[in-house]
């Protein structure tokens, strides 16, 4: 029997239990009487690696003129949590997440970190069910518009470097970054960072690493500062 989400995903799973697992949040385990039940965290770990490889491969092919640093920045702008959460919302993943009642009551079905994690877990599920090529095509299909948008700015500068140059040009003190929050499991945390320029908080951002969170904060600060 088909899973109700398969049509939106454009994927028909051979092993539908993989899709169910990809949608199962860790909070669900607290209410399960099945000691063998599991959540999507391992699939998220796998999907994160597959997604990163798929996007890196595509950017490498599309932008032969770009060096490693620029390609890394381009990839980070695509696989960041906010982007993946937006894709998950378009796919209506929140309606299908399996969570504990407490997580649901606090808005867990629409929380960006949960949506991004579920999307990565689905990538991992597609990889296990149908192999790397199918998973790669799935990633490119769902993130295609974000990849294409980079063509409009083929030489994106690293956001922290760009912010550094901008504040120097304005004769302001160098930006300072600090981590203000950490959420999630110890093996898969989500960090929130803020950037301070001349005593004022100009941007905040979240990411799966401290570096990515700082980059997102720098992007927000760049938008806040006039050229």
């Amino acid at each position: 029997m088909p899973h109700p989400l398969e049509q939106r995903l454009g994927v028909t799973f051979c092993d539908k239990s993989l899709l169910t697992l990809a949608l199962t949040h860790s909070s669900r385990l607290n209410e399960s009487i099945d000691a063998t039940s599991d959540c999507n965290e391992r699939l998220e770990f796998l999907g994160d690696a597959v997604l990163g490889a798929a996007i890196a491969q595509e950017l490498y092919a599309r932008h032969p003129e770009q060096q490693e640093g620029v390609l890394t920045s381009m990839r980070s702008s695509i696989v960041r949590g906010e982007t993946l959460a937006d894709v998950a919302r378009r796919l209506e993943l929140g309606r299908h997440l399996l969570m504990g009642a407490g997580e649901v009551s606090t808005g867990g079905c629409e929380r960006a970190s949960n949506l991004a994690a579920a999307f990565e877990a689905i990538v991992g599920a597609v990889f296990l069910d149908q192999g790397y090529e199918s998973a790669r095509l799935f990633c490119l299909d769902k993130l295609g518009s974000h990849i294409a948008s980079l063509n409009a700015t083929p030489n994106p500068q690293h956001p922290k470097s760009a912010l550094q140059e901008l504040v120097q040009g304005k004769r302001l003190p160098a930006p300072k970054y600090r981590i203000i929050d950490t959420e999630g499991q110890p093996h898969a945390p989500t960090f929130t960072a803020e950037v301070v320029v001349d005593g004022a908080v100009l941007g905040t951002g979240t990411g799966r690493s401290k570096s990515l969170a700082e980059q997102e904060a720098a992007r927000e600060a760049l938008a806040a500062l006039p050229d």
Side-chain angles (χ1 to χ4, degrees):
M1 184 175 181
H3 189 285
L5 186 58
E6 286 180 304
Q7 185 173 358
R8 293 197 67 82
L9 295 177
V11 178
T12 300
F13 282 82
C14 299
D15 182 355
K16 299 190 189 306
S17 68
L18 284 170
L19 178 55
T20 300
L21 179 59
L23 297 169
T24 303
H25 187 264
S26 58
S27 62
R28 180 81 168 195
L29 304 188
N30 299 328
E31 300 177 3
S32 174
I33 60 174
D34 182 0
T36 64
S37 60
D38 202 354
C39 67
N40 64 5
E41 291 175 354
R42 281 167 48 84
L43 275 179
E44 177 194 351
F45 164 79
L46 180 60
D48 175 64
V50 173
L51 175 63
I55 299 303
Q57 181 181 355
E58 183 69 10
L59 294 176
Y60 183 89
R62 285 195 183 208
H63 300 281
E65 77 287 357
Q66 298 294 2
Q67 297 302 309
E68 181 268 346
V70 173
L71 291 173
T72 298
S73 181
M74 294 170 80
R75 180 181 61 185
S76 296
S77 72
I78 294 171
V79 303
R80 63 196 181 105
E82 289 86 350
T83 300
L84 301 185
D86 286 342
V87 173
R89 290 188 186 99
R90 291 205 311 268
L91 295 170
E92 299 182 358
L93 295 192
R95 294 175 51 194
H96 301 278
L97 292 179
L98 304 174
M99 295 180 160
E103 185 70 15
V104 172
S105 68
T106 58
C109 290
E110 291 303 320
R111 187 168 294 125
S113 58
N114 290 338
L115 292 171
F119 179 79
E120 288 181 329
I122 288 174
V123 172
V126 174
F127 170 74
L128 290 180
D129 192 67
Q130 302 179 21
Y132 173 73
E133 184 61 14
S134 291
R136 184 183 73 85
L137 293 175
F138 175 80
C139 294
L140 298 185
D141 177 53
K142 305 312 176 191
L143 290 160
S145 61
H146 296 279
I147 298 171
S149 69
L150 293 176
N151 292 334
T153 55
N155 294 293
Q157 188 177 16
H158 193 287
K160 292 177 69 173
S161 299
L163 181 61
Q164 177 81 14
E165 290 184 10
L166 183 58
V167 299
Q168 283 181 344
K170 294 177 178 294
R171 300 184 182 279
L172 294 171
K176 295 182 179 180
Y177 297 87
R178 57 196 182 198
I179 302 298
I180 59 173
D181 191 27
T182 304
E183 295 182 337
Q185 300 296 320
H187 69 280
T190 297
F191 299 95
T192 299
E194 65 182 15
V195 58
V196 179
V197 176
D198 199 20
V201 177
L202 293 186
T204 60
T206 61
R208 298 303 178 85
S209 69
K210 293 179 180 179
S211 176
L212 289 176
E214 290 174 356
Q215 289 180 40
E216 292 308 307
R219 283 193 181 91
E220 188 171 287
L222 285 168
L225 279 171
D227 294 336

